[in-house]
Amino acid sequence: MEIAHAMLIGNIIGTFVSPFSPALWLALGLAGANLGEHLRYSFFIVWGFSIVMMGAALLLGIISFA
């Protein structure tokens, strides 16, 4: 069950950097940017946010390492 919860957290974050997401291509087209610019700008922000979400899930007891 913990693995499923961890995968759900990663899936939420992964949607915004995956080249297979139609929403990402729509947003990039509307912003006039390309995927490389987006990844260079948002990689560390998305990575940090995923760590924060994982920490919150640990604090709330949703997932555990024990």
Side-chain angles (χ1 to χ4, degrees):
M1 189 57 96
E2 286 99 14
I3 292 172
H5 286 124
M7 289 178 69
L8 287 172
I9 291 171
N11 190 23
I12 292 169
I13 298 298
T15 301
F16 301 110
V17 293
S18 172
F20 301 113
S21 172
L24 174 67
W25 290 108
L26 176 63
L28 288 173
L30 291 173
N34 65 33
L35 187 61
E37 291 173 359
H38 169 62
L39 289 177
R40 277 190 297 274
Y41 175 77
S42 62
F43 178 77
F44 290 109
I45 295 169
V46 169
W47 187 77
F49 189 64
S50 66
I51 296 297
V52 168
M53 286 183 62
M54 189 69 73
L58 284 169
L59 287 174
L60 293 171
I62 297 171
I63 59 173
S64 65
F65 289 114

